[in-house]
Amino acid sequence: MMGDLKRGDRIVIATHNEGKASELAELFAPLGIETVSAGALGLKEPEETGESFAENAEVKAEAAAAASGMLAVADDSGLEVASLGGAPGIHSARWGGPNKDFRLAMERVNRELEASGATDRRANFTCALAFAQPAGKTLVFTGKVDGTLVWPPRGTRGFGYDPIFVPDGYTETFGEMDPALKNEMSHRMRAFEKLILSNLALR
Ligand code: IMP
């Protein structure tokens, strides 16, 4: 299939979100792939015009590959709450407002859940990773992790909605958990594994 990504490559991580950039850097490092974030390269953030995680990941990866001339990986991800019809979904970052304040975003999730009267607090994190080549086609891989939302938030590790999300089979939130353990089961890791499987040279 592809096999374009190989040891020694340096790729752009098409994000300005440092939480995502560092998690992805840790996933790629053992494969001998160096990552640099779009933020660090001073690339502009494209408008997220897509209607799905996959479309938005594609937009971001293609913009970064075109602007840098390098292989690019973009992550579009978010929290989907079952009782809120999948919200905030692709709007997960936007619920943090202009200052990306996730304390506010978590409060909004909790408020809307309480207002809905729902007792079902199930949610999942979903991640779409797009892999774009400057002059080639873009591939998209997705991953998901199921869990339950708690209130109040717990833990200061991770980022975004991590302090209110307890993955199935565990008692700690992603905000309390050792980051290495989060990386073993996360939506991002699951999408990443599929990306690596499609790159023959890395297996
Ligand atoms: P995006 O940059 O539009 O993809 O925004 C994704 C948003 O989803 C992030 O800003 C976080 O709020 C949330 N999100 C995605 N992945 C995670 C995660 O692993 N933990 C917590 N929040 C996440």
Side-chain angles (χ1 to χ4, degrees):
M1 242 185 89
M2 308 200 10
D4 303 72
L5 195 55
K6 40 183 198 326
R7 285 192 169 269
D9 277 348
R10 187 162 173 263
I11 65 172
V12 193
I13 302 295
T15 183
H16 287 65
N17 176 325
E18 284 314 314
K20 286 182 185 179
S22 73
E23 285 190 10
L24 286 167
E26 275 182 34
L27 292 174
F28 278 108
L31 301 172
I33 292 170
E34 195 193 326
T35 58
V36 53
S37 76
L41 287 182
L43 304 183
K44 276 218 317 240
E45 247 182 322
E47 190 89 44
E48 291 185 21
T49 50
E51 284 173 12
S52 64
F53 292 116
E55 281 175 26
N56 282 333
E58 236 176 280
V59 167
K60 289 188 276 192
E62 287 176 356
S68 66
M70 293 163 68
L71 295 171
V73 171
D75 167 312
D76 200 69
S77 49
L79 179 73
E80 296 182 315
V81 182
S83 296
L84 300 181
I90 62 167
H91 304 292
S92 293
R94 281 163 264 184
W95 277 31
N99 297 327
K100 303 199 173 157
D101 180 346
F102 286 98
R103 176 83 211 181
L104 283 182
M106 291 188 285
E107 274 168 2
R108 180 167 168 193
V109 167
N110 189 56
R111 198 170 58 241
E112 296 205 4
L113 258 180
E114 297 206 329
S116 76
T119 50
D120 176 2
R121 298 185 68 90
R122 298 194 47 75
N124 71 74
F125 277 126
T126 294
C127 173
L129 282 184
F131 177 71
Q133 302 157 282
K137 74 173 188 164
T138 303
L139 296 178
V140 183
F141 307 89
T142 58
K144 199 169 114 166
V145 56
D146 289 309
T148 306
L149 298 179
V150 295
W151 195 261
R154 304 192 323 238
T156 53
R157 295 167 131 174
F159 66 98
Y161 299 87
D162 278 344
I164 57 171
F165 183 85
V166 177
D168 285 352
Y170 294 81
T171 54
E172 286 184 324
T173 67
F174 269 174
E176 296 171 304
M177 190 177 275
D178 182 337
L181 182 57
K182 176 186 173 188
N183 252 351
E184 277 174 26
M185 72 180 87
S186 76
H187 48 313
R188 195 159 289 107
M189 172 57 166
R190 289 175 179 163
F192 174 80
E193 276 173 344
K194 294 182 190 167
L195 188 158
I196 294 313
L197 283 175
S198 81
N199 277 271
L200 298 176
L202 286 174
R203 277 198 273 167

